[in-house]
Amino acid sequence: MQDIDGNYVKVEPVASEKDLGTEDRMITEKSDDDDTVEDFKEIHITSRNLDNAVRQTYQISETLHVDVLDRDVVEKQLCEKTGSVCGVKEAAGQHSDLIPNVYEGGLTVWECSLDLAKYLDSCPDSLAGKTVLELGCGAGIPGIVAIKHGASLLHFQDYNPEVMEHYTIPSVLLNNNGHSCKCRYFSGDWARFRSHMLSENMKC
């Protein structure tokens, strides 16, 4: 979101040791010229039939809840897709929530993202009319809370394009009825996303 000086401020939940399993705590650095990282791209999907979507509901406060697609259903659909070589399928095969440079945990609703969503819900006036960036968004719950509290522009970013296409975007669409917020969706490495933002003269 933007601070009082108009600077672009990242909304970025950081997974804690409690969130990560023992096998998932390895961190690897990725350089801008590393060919192993996911290519950056913007994803354009404005509508999807969600009438029969299986949902999970997260109660953020007494007066606010967020519906997202059921992660197990999404994972099963991606894994059963013929010819699929996506990171989600590889992670499911290894029973892991995190494989660096392959799958970055996008289908997991981390406890820290719910904590961040609750914090944002506690200060709604700070979100009205603001531009918000959620890095590593997964289901996009903090960003959805920002939409519900009047943010004018939301940028959602996650590493894997299949997470954005099959989980983030449908989950945002489930909650965005009647809101005027404009949303953009990006997949790929954070460093390349930052370069793209700078190329659009956006402060970050």
Side-chain angles (χ1 to χ4, degrees):
M1 70 182 78
Q2 290 177 319
D3 64 15
I4 57 174
D5 296 317
N7 295 311
Y8 207 84
V9 181
K10 295 177 285 189
V11 175
E12 175 187 337
V14 179
S16 67
E17 290 284 312
K18 183 170 62 175
D19 285 329
L20 295 175
T22 303
E23 71 280 7
D24 296 329
R25 292 176 185 160
M26 180 175 66
I27 298 173
T28 60
E29 294 186 2
K30 297 174 283 189
S31 63
D32 286 347
D33 57 356
D34 187 349
D35 291 333
T36 65
V37 300
E38 188 71 50
D39 288 338
F40 166 83
K41 67 178 178 179
E42 183 168 5
I43 299 170
H44 300 278
I45 298 176
T46 56
S47 64
R48 180 169 286 179
N49 185 348
L50 299 169
D51 292 342
N52 299 315
V54 180
R55 310 174 186 205
Q56 287 181 296
T57 299
Y58 292 90
Q59 197 69 39
I60 305 304
S61 67
E62 290 185 2
T63 58
L64 180 68
H65 73 273
V66 172
D67 289 326
V68 302
L69 291 192
D70 185 286
R71 59 100 13 113
D72 293 331
V73 172
V74 175
E75 181 180 281
K76 183 178 180 182
Q77 290 172 343
L78 289 171
C79 290
E80 292 179 349
K81 188 176 180 181
T82 303
S84 173
V85 292
C86 68
V88 171
K89 186 172 184 177
E90 185 171 341
Q94 296 185 29
H95 305 287
S96 176
D97 283 330
L98 179 63
I99 304 175
N101 295 348
V102 175
Y103 171 69
E104 300 285 347
L107 293 184
T108 299
V109 175
W110 303 99
E111 184 178 336
C112 54
S113 72
L114 297 176
D115 291 340
L116 178 57
K118 290 173 183 177
Y119 172 76
L120 294 175
D121 184 52
S122 72
C123 49
D125 293 343
S126 67
L127 297 166
K130 293 297 192 332
T131 296
V132 177
L133 162 65
E134 186 180 355
L135 287 176
C137 61
I141 293 174
I144 291 168
V145 170
I147 291 171
K148 289 177 177 287
H149 287 311
S152 60
L153 174 61
L154 246 297
H155 288 180
F156 292 92
Q157 179 276 342
D158 204 275
Y159 186 77
N160 297 94
E162 63 269 18
V163 169
M164 298 299 299
E165 293 171 20
H166 298 278
Y167 192 44
T168 309
I169 296 174
S171 294
V172 172
L173 293 174
L174 281 175
N175 295 274
N176 202 17
N177 294 334
H179 298 283
S180 59
C181 183
K182 178 182 178 182
C183 298
R184 295 176 70 184
Y185 307 93
F186 304 89
S187 67
D189 181 61
W190 289 6
R192 295 180 186 184
F193 175 73
R194 183 177 187 275
S195 297
H196 175 78
M197 292 202 325
L198 291 172
S199 74
E200 289 194 355
N201 295 318
M202 296 167 61
K203 296 178 181 179
C204 56

